[in-house]
Amino acid sequence: EAIVFGQGKCYGKKDVEVTKCQADASFTTEILTKMPLGTCILMGDPHILTFDNPTGQIEDNTQLVGGDYAVVVSDKLTIDGRFGYSSRFPSEASLTGLSVTGSLLSGHKLVVEYRGPDKGEAGFKTTWNGVEILESLGTEYTSPDGVLKAKKANMNPDDFHNHARHTIGGEAGSGDRPSFLFEITPDLTIYALIGDETINAVITLRKVDGIDGYCGNFNCIPDDDTLEELDKRGLKAPLAASAFPESPIASAAKSSGDSPKTLNDCDPALLAKAEQSCKDAEDAMKEDCMFDICASGDVEAGTEDLITDAVGEEMEEKFTFMGLSLPSLAIAGISPQVQWMLVFSTVSLAAVGFAGGVWSRRFRRASSSARSGGFSRVAEDEEEALLMPRSVWEQQGLTSYNHEGDEFDSELDA
């Protein structure tokens, strides 16, 4: 699908996922056949990391007012999100449901929403074209035409995004939790971690034309997807009519007439605890951490976020320390367990490769005098040159390679 150029080499790449790209100016990715994949996550009350801001380079979007909102909107796909109030966040909205429809789904409609009265997975209702599916934990469903493959089971949130556990999923690495997974043909996957009355959703899709909404316009510019910019495009306010077939349940209504809290409204004693608990957070996440504590009244709400962030940052440092800068090794969306396995495997392979390289060079030197005819040995610098894009050759004044003479032809092409 694409070619990645960098450090004098090129790499074939399929399933380009912008969430996993590292910020490294020495690599360039050229898309050839398909648009890239992107990931948007809605978590907590709710914080939204857009397709263009998947790792929180800038402050996330936070919508505290309940209602139905355009999460993803395009000619082919509509994903509406229902933001409602919960026992944990009684005056700040959280994601309580998703409605998915459009020609990308061949006109079908998927709805998952908390309807109660039970809390947890038993309180969520899932329908496909109005017919209930996934009625109990451990069940699966495949639509007759194969468009949807769905399951409701215990899954590891860390396998889908390093922020997937935010406020409702415990500490990073703490194991499986009741979850939904919806795989929609082609190229749309929605993972939802189930809380008592809310969900955290990780939406991964291939870019389509004209995409917009709370998940952003997927143009690689995070600054034009802020709430201020969404307001300019008429996408910030709740929808007058959404794709949800039913109205919000009464228990999801706001429990008081108070306006949503800000840090200025936080109880001074609780604010001091939040400041202390979140002091080590990065600037972009510190305010979110403090707000979650103030909104829920629970210091653990911020502590869980910090633990999850720390795992991702530690793994990024490990990879950077070892000089692994290929875009495919970025950590976003990879569970901590898999990240540690990658680190161990990489170190092991490097050690074996080094030892093998030393032996190989000694063997070649010892046997080179016995060789006659056949292919000549290509020097390391020449081998690298063979992998260089033509543009790099031209910048260095090298336009062709003559194998027979084992030398570069620096004359310009006729």
Side-chain angles (χ1 to χ4, degrees):
E1 295 180 6
I3 297 177
V4 180
F5 296 97
Q7 298 181 354
K9 297 179 176 65
C10 61
Y11 308 87
K13 186 75 177 75
K14 70 175 182 178
D15 294 333
V16 177
E17 197 165 336
V18 296
T19 310
K20 298 181 180 180
C21 292
Q22 292 185 3
D24 188 339
S26 63
F27 286 94
T28 301
T29 301
E30 182 177 342
I31 302 296
L32 298 179
T33 58
K34 293 183 179 180
M35 288 289 99
L37 295 160
T39 295
C40 170
I41 179 168
L42 298 89
M43 52 184 174
D45 48 342
H47 304 294
I48 302 165
L49 292 173
T50 66
F51 295 121
D52 297 327
N53 186 39
T55 58
Q57 301 170 11
I58 65 172
E59 186 177 354
D60 57 53
N61 288 335
T62 302
Q63 177 53 264
L64 305 175
V65 179
D68 296 343
Y69 293 85
V71 174
V72 174
V73 58
S74 73
D75 292 339
K76 297 182 178 180
L77 176 66
T78 297
I79 302 178
D80 291 341
R82 176 158 284 173
F83 299 172
Y85 303 96
S86 64
S87 300
R88 186 169 191 178
F89 294 103
S91 58
E92 290 74 36
S94 298
L95 182 66
T96 60
L98 289 171
S99 175
V100 188
T101 190
S103 61
L104 193 68
L105 285 72
S106 300
H108 298 298
K109 179 185 285 189
L110 170 70
V111 178
V112 56
E113 183 188 4
Y114 178 73
R115 302 297 301 179
D118 295 334
K119 291 187 177 182
E121 58 87 13
F124 282 83
K125 180 181 178 181
T126 307
T127 61
W128 179 249
N129 297 327
V131 178
E132 188 168 2
I133 61 174
L134 306 180
E135 295 185 48
S136 60
L137 195 67
T139 56
E140 298 185 5
Y141 173 81
T142 299
S143 63
D145 58 3
V147 171
L148 172 68
K149 183 178 180 181
K151 66 178 180 179
K152 182 182 183 182
N154 288 314
M155 290 174 255
N156 188 348
D158 301 325
D159 290 338
F160 298 91
H161 198 284
N162 62 354
H163 290 301
R165 292 181 181 271
H166 186 96
T167 69
I168 62 174
E171 298 180 0
S174 59
D176 294 350
R177 293 294 178 105
S179 308
F180 292 106
L181 182 62
F182 305 103
E183 296 173 295
I184 299 170
T185 303
D187 301 323
L188 172 60
T189 300
I190 299 174
Y191 166 78
L193 172 64
I194 301 172
D196 285 346
E197 303 159 271
T198 64
I199 55 175
N200 289 345
V202 181
I203 302 171
T204 299
L205 56 77
R206 195 174 296 279
K207 177 180 168 63
V208 296
D209 291 337
I211 193 169
D212 213 336
Y214 267 76
C215 277
N217 55 19
F218 206 162
N219 66 350
C220 298
I221 304 173
D223 293 317
D224 65 3
D225 293 326
T226 62
L227 290 179
E228 181 180 358
E229 294 299 319
L230 288 177
D231 195 25
K232 293 178 182 178
R233 301 200 292 269
L235 295 168
K236 179 183 176 182
L239 296 167
S242 74
F244 283 93
E246 300 178 270
S247 300
I249 61 174
S251 61
K254 196 172 180 180
S255 59
S256 70
D258 298 334
S259 60
K261 293 184 179 73
T262 68
L263 288 179
N264 293 330
D265 302 319
C266 189
D267 178 77
L270 185 59
L271 182 61
K273 292 180 181 179
E275 179 74 32
Q276 178 64 27
S277 180
C278 303
K279 65 180 181 180
D280 295 327
E282 295 290 335
D283 290 342
M285 295 299 295
K286 183 175 181 178
E287 186 171 338
D288 293 340
C289 173
M290 293 175 62
F291 182 83
D292 287 341
I293 293 174
C294 288
S296 66
D298 184 2
V299 174
E300 289 185 1
T303 304
E304 292 169 0
D305 300 342
L306 293 181
I307 292 173
T308 302
D309 294 338
V311 171
E313 291 173 6
E314 182 179 356
M315 295 311 306
E316 187 170 7
E317 290 173 1
K318 296 291 185 184
F319 279 114
T320 304
F321 173 76
M322 290 184 294
L324 300 178
S325 55
L326 287 180
S328 60
L329 291 178
I331 64 163
I334 303 177
S335 69
Q337 295 92 332
V338 175
Q339 294 168 22
W340 280 112
M341 289 175 63
L342 285 172
V343 171
F344 178 78
S345 300
T346 303
V347 172
S348 300
L349 288 172
V352 172
F354 177 77
V358 171
W359 178 88
S360 178
R361 285 183 174 87
R362 289 179 178 174
F363 177 79
R364 287 199 299 267
R365 286 198 297 267
S367 60
S368 60
S369 59
R371 289 200 208 102
S372 62
F375 289 100
S376 61
R377 178 172 176 267
V378 180
E380 292 180 2
D381 57 341
E382 296 166 354
E383 183 178 5
E384 185 177 78
L386 287 171
L387 294 173
M388 286 184 181
R390 184 178 182 86
S391 60
V392 176
W393 286 28
E394 293 173 347
Q395 291 174 6
Q396 298 182 6
L398 305 172
T399 57
S400 64
Y401 181 80
N402 181 354
H403 175 71
E404 293 181 356
D406 278 339
E407 61 184 10
F408 287 99
D409 179 4
S410 60
E411 296 295 328
L412 294 175
D413 293 338

